[in-house]
Amino acid sequence: MNYLNSADGNTTNCTYSARISLLPHRSIAMKEANNDLAQAYEYQGFWFLKQALRGLIWAQDHFKPHPAATLVASYPKTGTTWLKALAFSIATRNRFDLSSNPLETSISHQCIPFLELEIPRSPSHKYYPDVPLFSTHVPYTCLPDSITGSDCKIVYICRDPTDTFVSWWHFARKRAPEDVEFVPIEEGFQQFAEGYSLYGPYWEHILGYWRASLDRPDQILFLKYEDLVLNTSFYVKKLADFIGSPFSIEEERDGVVERIIDLCSFKHMSGLEVNKSGEHSNGLDHVTLPNSMYFRKAEVGDWKNHLPAKMKEQMDQIMELKLRDSGLALGSTSNP
Ligand code: PAP
């Protein structure tokens, strides 16, 4: 059953919408197509767009994961597109020749569906149903019990908060109609720093997956964008081991790891025709986005080009306070 097409789908959809409209809500630094600021709804301690929240509540009520599935989880703009490409190419390398991998003609979001966006509309999703990968931006503590109580593996990626915010702000600005004055970056930053961001507060999102990875290290792999940039080969092999598709000695000798890294690299992916001029629906109602919006600069420390150092310091202080006693330090790991 999905929430749109099942016999009682419209009723279910309306019931969810009615429940959501009773939740606390506020505007966030993102414009709708009609130029209004988007509304975010507070649910179980986090902020969501209505469409994603409908999908999440549906998933909490109905979703059953494939027992061998791996969930690719992330806060938006922390490396989702990259991690999905890596996971997909690792998982399908014996099925597709790397040079004809679907990632050459589709953005990774079209290869791995989102739990809260595409799956509620089409639970037996049309992408690659026999590739047991799905993805989410949903915080750990809001995941359906059917996932957290199962043998599903989860791989999570996080990123420096100020780079994440800057990446988000550019994305949100590009989503807004061109002729519309956008929210100033400083205002958007303040909201993010106060915890009013989609799927945020960001630190709570990180902490949920971090704590779960400490409790269940065999089931939850916690990665950092900066580590993947610095030490790509090490973490790609770790990812392959984790999802149960380790590289053989022969594959390592034949350069398969490097070929996967090259296929998924920002340089290669951002240069593909599908990612320069293609578009895809991200599962939100009636929203089609150019794939190019998911490929901007991919630089560690790009915040410097957009925000003053004092804002970065403010963000780092907030994170230090929030992550205190967690044992987690953001930024690259010196000795992986
Ligand atoms: P999403 O959560 O909406 O899917 P996500 O892919 O997490 O977005 O974030 C996009 C960021 O990842 C962009 O960062 P930037 O704005 O700082 O440039 C994008 O450039 C970067 N990115 C996309 N693909 C890759 C890749 N193959 N390697 C490294 N970074 C990438």
Side-chain angles (χ1 to χ4, degrees):
M1 167 179 127
N2 72 31
Y3 71 44
L4 293 178
N5 301 323
S6 59
D8 65 346
N10 281 336
T11 322
T12 311
N13 198 11
C14 292
T15 311
Y16 288 159
S17 294
R19 269 170 72 183
I20 292 167
S21 59
L22 298 175
L23 296 172
H25 54 97
R26 54 170 293 151
S27 325
I28 47 150
M30 190 177 106
K31 295 266 185 172
E32 302 278 22
N34 64 4
N35 191 22
D36 287 343
L37 282 175
Q39 292 296 307
Y41 293 81
E42 191 180 20
Y43 180 70
Q44 299 182 345
F46 292 87
W47 295 93
F48 300 90
L49 287 181
K50 188 182 251 180
Q51 301 91 318
L53 187 47
R54 278 204 312 252
L56 167 58
I57 299 175
W58 177 90
Q60 289 179 335
D61 287 350
H62 301 287
F63 179 70
K64 299 269 178 300
H66 184 297
T70 297
L71 175 62
V72 179
S74 61
Y75 182 88
K77 307 300 151 199
T78 57
T80 321
T81 313
W82 189 18
L83 186 59
K84 282 169 85 163
L86 287 168
F88 186 81
S89 52
I90 290 169
T92 61
R93 69 187 186 277
N94 295 325
R95 177 165 154 188
F96 304 112
D97 188 74
L98 283 180
S99 57
S100 57
N101 190 284
L103 290 166
E104 292 283 343
T105 48
S106 307
I107 189 167
S108 60
H109 294 299
Q110 287 191 294
C111 298
I112 304 180
F114 273 104
L115 170 72
E116 68 277 22
L117 301 178
E118 286 98 5
I119 290 179
R121 293 171 163 270
S122 172
S124 52
H125 61 83
K126 59 189 180 301
Y127 297 165
Y128 293 93
D130 47 346
V131 177
L133 292 169
F134 63 123
S135 70
T136 194
H137 286 320
V138 166
Y140 183 81
T141 49
C142 301
L143 287 177
D145 295 342
S146 61
I147 295 177
T148 50
S150 77
D151 291 336
C152 250
K153 291 191 168 185
I154 302 176
V155 51
Y156 181 74
I157 189 161
C158 75
R159 186 181 187 186
D160 172 85
T162 317
D163 279 347
T164 301
F165 164 74
V166 165
S167 181
W168 164 257
W169 188 82
H170 282 93
F171 180 83
R173 196 177 66 168
K174 279 188 215 143
R175 267 186 63 137
E178 268 176 28
D179 52 341
V180 158
E181 195 185 325
F182 195 59
V183 181
I185 191 164
E186 295 78 8
E187 198 182 305
F189 175 83
Q190 224 43 57
Q191 282 191 10
F192 182 83
E194 287 168 21
Y196 301 123
S197 60
L198 290 184
Y199 298 96
Y202 183 38
W203 48 88
E204 294 297 345
H205 201 284
I206 294 177
L207 277 172
Y209 283 95
W210 172 249
R211 290 184 183 126
S213 76
L214 297 180
D215 284 349
R216 300 192 298 148
D218 294 342
Q219 269 177 287
I220 299 159
L221 176 66
F222 189 96
L223 298 174
K224 300 179 196 168
Y225 182 88
E226 293 77 14
D227 281 341
L228 256 186
V229 169
L230 257 187
N231 220 329
T232 317
S233 174
F234 176 86
Y235 286 102
V236 165
K237 287 190 230 168
K238 195 169 172 138
L239 176 62
D241 289 346
F242 180 76
I243 65 177
S245 290
F247 293 105
S248 65
I249 294 170
E250 293 74 29
E251 284 184 309
E252 290 211 26
R253 189 194 55 214
D254 295 346
V256 175
V257 180
E258 286 71 25
R259 285 170 56 214
I260 284 183
I261 291 172
D262 288 348
L263 167 70
C264 300
S265 67
F266 179 80
K267 187 165 176 232
H268 182 74
M269 301 241 110
S270 60
L272 290 172
E273 203 45 54
V274 66
N275 293 328
K276 286 198 289 189
S277 57
E279 54 183 32
H280 75 284
S281 161
N282 73 352
L284 293 175
D285 294 347
H286 314 298
V287 180
T288 299
L289 297 171
N291 293 343
S292 58
M293 282 177 63
Y294 292 79
F295 302 90
R296 193 179 62 92
K297 281 169 100 176
E299 277 175 16
V300 173
D302 183 49
W303 65 264
K304 286 190 196 76
N305 300 312
H306 305 282
L307 290 173
K310 68 172 188 332
M311 286 193 169
K312 166 74 172 152
E313 278 162 30
Q314 181 192 346
M315 195 68 240
D316 286 349
Q317 278 168 13
I318 292 171
M319 293 309 271
E320 218 177 290
L321 197 69
K322 303 287 183 185
L323 303 187
R324 196 179 47 189
D325 302 330
S326 71
L328 173 65
L330 295 181
S332 54
T333 311
S334 42
N335 290 310

